[in-house]
């Protein structure tokens, strides 16, 4: 049986406000601050306290909602979602249920299959829970509770089940992450858990329009984990259905080491959250003026930037998509193109998607660590453009420049890398190569035309990689043609 996968995503993004969602405690980096150093009676859930809504969190949440094309509700309600867990001191989480902050948006994603519009069901505000650390020491097991994160504003973004593959789900996740980073409301740092993904996965016979039973994989902390977990679930569910067994609706975890999902909770054990409006919080009323004010603050978003770059610089779709991955990347691109003057934007794009991306990917470095500034890259490109060095030499220089921040001009002078463009010198080298390799020359003359590439390589080697490749090619072609008719 052939199946189709159906995937819906829930994204939890912390809002990078100064203080927590309902109290004045500072939002601190949980990997840096001492445990329980940013807590107060409100976020510790002590009796008799009253929560107060953080206006900045509402503004940030609204910006994300508007960037996703959602309609912001002029009246939404905070509810209590009741369940007990040691990292949730109140015994309930303040969330929004029936009347969320915003609803009905869309997000265009970019995959190898082209573009696709995914519908966003809703976005709502809630508070994060604390953090548990499970310890096993001297035969004892216990858990430590850190409430620094308890009460940090969270925006939950729920999609419709519109994705059909792990690739689409990851593209959606990446697009959401890009948007919150563009808006400056979340650092996008998945390792720190400030943005977290849950994938709901079901399969159905290809052609069917009925939804199958879904499983929900929690706590995916990288796109790699998300991709693998989804593909694992699709296969696991297909094996079950093929064997005539049902898929059970359950909550799963992802075992990173063994690359398998495991059951955390079945439908029978699912919480009954007994949602009800939080009596401590009045309805959240947002005026149309405030909505308009936040809408006016939206920067050029990834999608708009993508379309502008396509048009303005005639980039390929893949190049444009690469450039808009972050605002810094797009700014770097535009600054380099500007500094490079008449050099086509495509050449800047090639450097960025080639050498730069390779350098960044090497050890997961960030753009801010790269010492090749737009001005330095533009100068390197100009050295190639004006034939001072050839492209292979320039590429070799790049990684050295990335670490040292030295300019191409300085390195060329210091290392004597100037390209040999002198025709006489290059011709002499061609003749030397042809003479030194009579067998290959004969094979070439007998019809093995591909050997011209080999000769090219030999000449370049003789020139220690410094000869102008275009000049070698044209002189070599002439010379080989002469030999044919000699
Ligand atoms: P819950 O809190 O029960 O997880 P939500 O409404 O927050 O419910 O999220 C449900 C998510 O699951 C949504 O992203 C939705 O698109 C997705 N979903 C619902 N039904 C299916 C299904 N049959 N297959 C895949 N995804 C589904
Ligand atoms: Zn507090
Ligand atoms: Mg869910």
């Amino acid at each position: 049986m052939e199946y189709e996968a159906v995937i819906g995503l829930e994204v939890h993004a912390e809002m990078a406000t100064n203080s927590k969602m309902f109290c004045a405690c500072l939002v601190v980096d949980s990997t840096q601050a001492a445990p329980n150093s940013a807590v107060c009676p409100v976020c510790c859930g002590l009796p008799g306290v009253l929560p107060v809504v953080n206006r900045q969190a509402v503004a940030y949440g609204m910006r994300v909602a508007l960037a996703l094309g959602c309609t912001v509700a002029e009246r939404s309600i905070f509810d209590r979602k009741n369940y007990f867990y040691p990292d949730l001191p109140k015994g309930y989480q303040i969330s929004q249920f029936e009347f969320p902050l915003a609803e009905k948006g869309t997000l265009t994603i970019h995959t190898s299959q082209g573009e696709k519009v995914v519908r966003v069901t809703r976005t709502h505000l809630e508070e994060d829970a604390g953090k548990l650390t499970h310890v096993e020491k001297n035969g004892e097991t216990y858990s430590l509770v850190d409430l620094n994160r308890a009460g940090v504003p969270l925006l939950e973004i729920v999609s419709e089940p519109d994705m059909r593959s792990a690739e689409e789900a990851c593209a959606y996740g990446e697009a959401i992450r890009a948007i919150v980073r563009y808006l400056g409301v979340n650092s996008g740092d998945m390792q720190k858990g400030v943005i977290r993904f849950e994938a709901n996965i079901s399969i159905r016979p290809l052609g069917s329009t009925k939804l199958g039973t879904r499983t929900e994989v929690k706590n995916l902390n990288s796109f790699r984990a998300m991709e693998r977990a989804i593909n694992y679930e699709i296969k696991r569910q297909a094996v079950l259905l093929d064997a005539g067994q049902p898929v059970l609706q359950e909550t799963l975890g992802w075992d990173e080491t063994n690359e398998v999902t495991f059951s955390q909770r079945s439908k029978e054990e699912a919480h009954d959250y007994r949602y009800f409006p939080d009596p401590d919080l009045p309805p959240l009323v947002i005026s149309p003026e405030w909505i308009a004010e936040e809408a006016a603050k939206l920067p050029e978003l990834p999608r708009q930037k993508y379309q502008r770059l396509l048009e303005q610089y005639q980039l390929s779709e893949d190049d444009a998509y690469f450039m808009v991955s972050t605002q810094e990347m797009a700014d770097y691109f535009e600054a380099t193109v500007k500094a490079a003057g008449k050099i086509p934007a495509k050449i800047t794009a090639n450097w960025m998607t080639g050498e730069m991306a390779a350098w960044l990917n090497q050890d997961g470095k960030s753009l801010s660590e790269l010492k090749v500034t737009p001005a330095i890259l533009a100068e390197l490109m100009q050295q190639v453009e004006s034939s001072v060095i050839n492209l292979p030499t320039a590429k070799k220089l790049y990684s050295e420049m990335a670490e040292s921040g030295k300019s191409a001009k300085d390195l060329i002078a210091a290392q004597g890398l100037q390209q040999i463009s002198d025709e006489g010198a290059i011709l002499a080298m061609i003749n030397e190569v042809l003479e030194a390799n009579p067998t290959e020359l004969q094979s070439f003359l007998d019809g093995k035309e591909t050997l011209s590439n080999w000769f090219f390589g030999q000449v370049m080697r003789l020139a220690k990689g410094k000869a102008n490749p275009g000049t070698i090619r044209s002189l070599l072609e002439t010379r080989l043609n002469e030999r044919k008719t000699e």
Side-chain angles (χ1 to χ4, degrees):
M1 177 80 98
E2 252 202 271
Y3 298 105
E4 173 181 62
V6 174
I7 303 156
L9 244 53
E10 291 162 72
V11 185
H12 286 93
E14 284 184 5
M15 295 290 99
T17 48
N18 290 328
S19 60
K20 290 187 181 180
M21 186 69 218
F22 299 111
C23 63
C25 286
L26 289 182
V27 172
V28 293
D29 182 340
S30 54
T31 62
Q32 304 291 326
N36 300 306
S37 57
V39 296
C40 75
V42 176
C43 53
C44 282
L46 298 187
V49 295
L50 277 179
V52 177
V53 176
N54 181 338
R55 184 183 166 92
Q56 192 66 56
V58 176
Y60 282 0
M62 238 198 287
R63 276 181 227 170
V64 178
L66 292 167
L68 293 169
C70 291
T71 306
V72 174
E74 288 178 24
R75 188 173 184 277
S76 63
I77 302 286
F78 286 106
D79 296 284
R80 289 188 180 180
K81 181 180 182 179
N82 300 279
Y83 66 99
F84 175 78
Y85 207 63
D87 61 6
L88 191 76
K90 290 198 291 284
Y92 60 84
Q93 178 193 28
I94 305 178
S95 181
Q96 295 187 306
F97 186 56
E98 212 182 335
F99 302 100
L101 177 71
E103 288 181 290
K104 290 197 176 72
T106 56
L107 181 58
T108 303
I109 59 169
H110 179 100
T111 69
S112 58
Q113 310 299 307
E115 291 189 337
K116 175 169 178 166
V117 177
V118 175
R119 291 168 299 160
V120 174
T121 315
R122 54 187 270 150
T123 65
H124 67 253
L125 283 165
E126 54 188 35
E127 55 178 343
D128 211 344
K131 208 172 176 161
L132 294 180
T133 308
H134 305 290
V135 188
E136 262 190 78
K137 214 162 130 190
N138 309 328
E140 271 189 286
T141 58
Y142 54 93
S143 298
L144 299 170
V145 190
D146 177 8
L147 295 178
N148 283 350
R149 204 179 65 181
V152 168
L154 265 191
L155 187 72
E156 177 168 345
I157 304 158
V158 183
S159 85
E160 289 293 308
D162 284 349
M163 276 96 33
R164 296 289 174 266
S165 64
E167 188 195 0
E168 287 185 3
C170 290
Y172 173 87
E174 282 172 26
I176 294 272
R177 180 167 172 261
I179 285 180
V180 295
R181 294 177 80 190
Y182 267 63
L183 295 172
V185 300
N186 183 293
S187 69
D189 194 337
M190 292 174 76
Q191 261 152 17
K192 286 193 175 153
V194 296
I195 181 161
R196 311 191 286 269
F197 297 85
E198 285 163 30
N200 294 269
I201 306 143
S202 65
I203 60 170
R204 62 185 174 194
L206 197 61
S208 160
T209 51
K210 223 179 109 222
L211 288 176
T213 304
R214 70 173 156 128
T215 56
E216 176 175 1
V217 190
K218 292 245 181 222
N219 298 328
L220 297 165
N221 56 12
S222 71
F223 290 119
R224 197 182 113 106
M226 179 146 92
E227 186 187 353
R228 293 185 182 204
I230 290 172
N231 284 329
Y232 178 87
E233 255 324 279
I234 293 172
K235 279 207 200 94
R236 189 187 69 86
Q237 295 183 10
V239 170
L240 283 175
L241 294 190
D242 281 342
Q245 289 174 322
V247 171
L248 299 179
Q249 185 176 336
E250 53 189 346
T251 303
L252 307 171
W254 174 242
D255 177 344
E256 188 85 52
T257 324
N258 300 305
E259 303 202 340
V260 293
T261 57
F262 60 90
S263 180
Q264 288 186 329
R265 218 185 306 132
S266 72
K267 192 186 177 185
E268 284 70 37
E269 299 159 302
H271 298 293
D272 173 4
Y273 293 121
R274 294 171 295 125
Y275 281 100
F276 64 88
D278 191 316
D280 289 341
L281 288 159
L284 175 61
V285 176
I286 301 174
S287 69
E289 291 74 30
W290 190 14
I291 299 174
E293 213 178 284
E294 296 305 328
K297 286 183 190 151
L298 298 186
E300 183 182 42
L301 291 163
R303 179 84 196 143
Q304 299 159 323
K305 213 183 253 302
Y306 169 82
Q307 269 154 348
R308 180 173 65 76
L309 294 192
L310 270 186
E311 245 175 61
Q312 190 172 340
Y313 301 101
Q314 281 90 46
L315 291 183
S316 71
E317 289 181 3
D318 283 342
D319 282 353
Y321 184 65
F322 175 90
M323 296 314 157
V324 304
S325 58
T326 63
Q327 210 148 20
E328 293 74 32
M329 192 65 87
D331 289 348
Y332 185 102
F333 168 74
E334 295 206 88
T336 309
V337 171
K338 201 166 165 216
K342 288 203 189 72
I343 300 175
K346 174 68 191 158
I347 300 204
T348 297
N350 289 348
W351 275 101
M352 290 179 66
T353 56
E355 308 309 302
M356 174 198 249
W359 188 85
L360 292 174
N361 285 340
Q362 234 171 35
D363 318 290
K365 293 204 178 81
S366 74
L367 197 52
S368 60
E369 294 168 82
L370 176 67
K371 293 201 173 131
V372 178
T373 60
I376 292 178
L377 177 56
E379 195 218 70
L380 176 66
M381 291 174 4
Q382 270 149 0
Q383 301 306 304
V384 180
E385 181 72 8
S386 54
S387 299
V388 177
I389 52 171
N390 60 28
L391 191 58
T393 305
K395 286 188 175 172
K396 268 190 228 141
L397 279 186
Y398 188 87
S399 49
E400 207 178 326
M401 295 165 60
E403 304 289 344
S404 71
K406 288 197 177 123
S407 82
K409 270 188 188 151
D410 290 349
L411 288 173
I412 293 165
Q415 301 176 19
L417 295 175
Q418 285 86 346
Q419 170 164 266
I420 305 166
S421 290
D422 178 68
E423 296 203 355
I426 290 177
L427 195 56
M429 288 190 274
I430 290 174
N431 287 333
E432 194 181 326
V433 166
L434 295 186
E435 257 161 55
N437 299 286
T439 327
E440 283 76 9
L441 181 58
Q442 196 50 52
S443 303
F444 174 83
L445 295 175
D446 291 343
K448 208 173 165 204
E449 299 268 338
T450 50
L451 273 171
S452 70
N453 281 330
W454 183 81
F455 285 122
F456 174 87
Q458 294 302 307
V459 177
M460 194 53 111
R461 233 175 87 182
L462 192 60
K464 299 197 175 66
K466 293 194 285 186
N468 183 322
T471 314
I472 304 183
R473 277 205 199 284
S474 72
L475 290 179
L476 183 63
E477 195 187 345
T478 319
R479 192 72 196 103
L480 287 172
N481 279 333
E482 282 168 10
R483 290 304 296 260
K484 274 192 207 161
T485 52
E486 263 168 26

